[in-house]
Amino acid sequence: MSVFYGVMEKVYVGVSGGVDSAAAVRILQEQGFEVTGVHLSMYGEDACDIAELSEELGVEVLTLNLRERFEREVITPFVKDYLQGYTPSPCTVCNPFIKWEVLRETALVQGGAGSRWATGHYCRIVEMNGLFYVARGADLIKDQSYYLWRLGQDVLCGALMPLGEVAKKDVKFRMEGEGLVRLANRKESMGVCFLKGKGYAAFLKERCPGLAALDGGEIVNKKGEVLGKHSGYPFYTLAQRRGLPIKKGECVVKIDASENRLIIGTPEELYCREIWLENWRVTNEDEFFSSLSLEVKVRGIGLNPTGYCRVAKEGARVHVELCDDRAWAVAKGQPAVFYIDDRVVGGGVVADAL
């Protein structure tokens, strides 16, 4: 039984209507917490039936309308970044600055001091030398620690991640066994939530009709020779070749937003050994800048460098030198996240790579 000074501890759990948050509720109930669900309504039509969800889970579910805040803090910067030729990761903004922060505020206001907050993320929280860290979940395939690098001590000190030691396959099996078949069989959301299954190019065209004027931009090689035309630089990413009139073995190696131009080269040209980061944060600077066992991930899923890296401050930026392996297709605007063993010890936003 989880007890705080003789009283059952309260925990406020972010619930989406999916199987993962439902499992988080169940696990916390078994651990003796008094659970309240918190549904964050952030974009478009809400497909979650709160009354049905509350009945299935057997807990009260609060609903908070965060659409204006989500538009202002996540969608608008997302569009702005793409218009600069960057590759943003909106989940790494939404999670710390909206989801977890709102859960924390709700728990403290509604439940009072001593209340906790939780989600169904497949991560763990560990404490070391008085500091709290996000750590990789036991299910490495579903691990979501990369997307939580910005969580600060004020959030982590009272946060719970009950799925950190659980495998995804076991979560679905458990929910089916408890009769929550609808939740167990609900289609899992993939990718950026507000795209609603659309490609980001289609989303940008809807949001910014003026982008049609960019149609007809030049595709050039490293010599500056024109190879063809494209539909507008925001609709392309590094390493892309699909939909472009280029030879086999060629791809986009640079996006020149100021000239609405795509530069074409070979995939080999996209490898780098040095990365510069801005808007960075670390949990313990002494440990971070002196560590000899620092690893970096430049994407949550996909090809990441292996081995260790060295880091140093260069003005307001952090310079990352990859020691054992090169990173591939590192785009401006995407996060680079650092680990020591399983702990997330810091991260930043890519400003340049070489």
Side-chain angles (χ1 to χ4, degrees):
M1 182 73 68
S2 183
V3 177
F4 183 74
Y5 294 119
V7 179
M8 186 181 296
E9 274 194 271
K10 297 178 180 179
V11 60
Y12 289 75
V13 184
V15 292
S16 63
V19 65
D20 295 332
S21 55
V25 168
R26 282 288 186 263
I27 291 172
L28 291 167
Q29 286 175 321
E30 288 181 356
Q31 293 175 353
F33 286 94
E34 179 185 335
V35 178
T36 299
V38 182
H39 180 70
L40 308 180
S41 179
M42 293 188 289
Y43 184 76
E45 293 300 319
D46 202 330
C48 184
D49 186 323
I50 301 303
E52 183 179 20
L53 180 64
S54 177
E55 183 177 354
E56 287 180 307
L57 297 178
V59 300
E60 178 188 7
V61 177
L62 308 176
T63 301
L64 303 180
N65 186 339
L66 301 175
R67 295 184 184 188
E68 290 185 6
R69 181 171 175 178
F70 187 75
E71 172 75 30
R72 181 177 65 253
E73 298 183 19
V74 177
I75 298 180
T76 297
F78 172 85
V79 173
K80 181 180 178 181
D81 282 349
Y82 263 112
L83 295 183
Q84 295 182 84
Y86 297 170
T87 302
S89 176
C91 295
T92 65
V93 177
C94 177
N95 273 304
F97 300 133
I98 296 187
K99 287 183 180 178
W100 280 96
E101 184 58 33
V102 169
L103 284 174
R104 172 182 173 275
E105 292 170 355
T106 303
L108 294 179
V109 171
Q110 298 280 342
S115 296
R116 310 288 292 274
W117 41 93
T119 68
H121 281 102
Y122 286 85
C123 307
R124 294 178 297 120
I125 297 176
V126 298
E127 184 179 3
M128 181 176 291
N129 298 324
L131 293 171
F132 296 90
Y133 298 84
V134 174
R136 289 187 177 102
D139 189 335
L140 294 180
I141 295 176
K142 295 298 296 182
D143 172 55
Q144 296 167 298
S145 58
Y146 172 87
Y147 301 99
L148 302 181
W149 66 272
R150 278 180 159 130
L151 293 186
Q153 294 298 299
D154 58 339
V155 169
L156 291 175
C157 68
L160 297 170
M161 297 184 186
L163 301 190
E165 303 290 349
V166 182
K168 173 73 175 189
K169 61 180 179 62
D170 294 332
V171 164
K172 185 173 181 179
F173 181 77
R174 174 192 176 126
M175 292 296 97
E176 289 176 341
E178 293 190 13
L180 299 177
V181 177
R182 184 187 70 85
L183 293 176
N185 293 330
R186 184 179 176 185
K187 185 177 180 181
E188 186 174 5
S189 60
M190 302 293 288
V192 178
C193 65
F194 57 83
L195 296 184
K196 298 292 185 180
K198 294 180 293 190
Y200 76 92
F203 178 81
L204 290 175
K205 288 177 182 178
E206 289 180 2
R207 300 280 300 197
C208 307
L211 292 180
L214 297 176
D215 192 11
E218 291 181 342
I219 304 170
V220 302
N221 60 21
K222 300 300 281 291
K223 297 179 181 179
E225 298 169 336
V226 178
L227 306 177
K229 303 291 183 180
H230 62 79
S231 300
Y233 72 88
F235 308 135
Y236 302 89
T237 58
L238 292 186
Q240 184 170 337
R241 67 177 318 277
R242 181 179 297 177
L244 294 172
I246 56 180
K247 297 177 183 178
K248 184 177 181 180
E250 294 181 331
C251 63
V252 177
V253 297
K254 185 178 179 181
I255 297 172
D256 185 345
S258 64
E259 298 294 332
N260 188 27
R261 182 178 292 158
L262 303 181
I263 294 85
I264 302 301
T266 66
E268 179 65 23
E269 295 176 58
L270 288 170
Y271 281 100
C272 68
R273 281 200 177 274
E274 295 182 86
I275 304 170
W276 286 264
L277 305 178
E278 57 189 6
N279 298 325
W280 55 276
R281 67 161 300 278
V282 299
T283 303
N284 182 334
E285 287 198 23
D286 290 338
E287 177 188 45
F288 180 75
F289 287 107
S290 64
S291 175
L292 300 177
S293 56
L294 201 64
E295 300 179 9
V296 64
K297 289 181 67 173
V298 296
R299 48 183 57 88
I301 300 174
L303 184 62
N304 278 295
T306 59
Y308 302 127
C309 63
R310 287 191 288 265
V311 293
K313 291 182 184 178
E314 288 191 0
R317 295 182 174 185
V318 168
H319 176 231
V320 184
E321 180 185 0
L322 302 172
C323 302
D324 299 326
D325 192 14
R326 299 178 297 171
W328 187 71
V330 179
K332 294 180 180 181
Q334 71 185 66
V337 180
F338 298 92
Y339 293 78
I340 295 178
D341 298 323
D342 285 336
R343 288 183 297 132
V344 173
V345 295
V349 178
V350 174
D352 204 358
L354 180 65

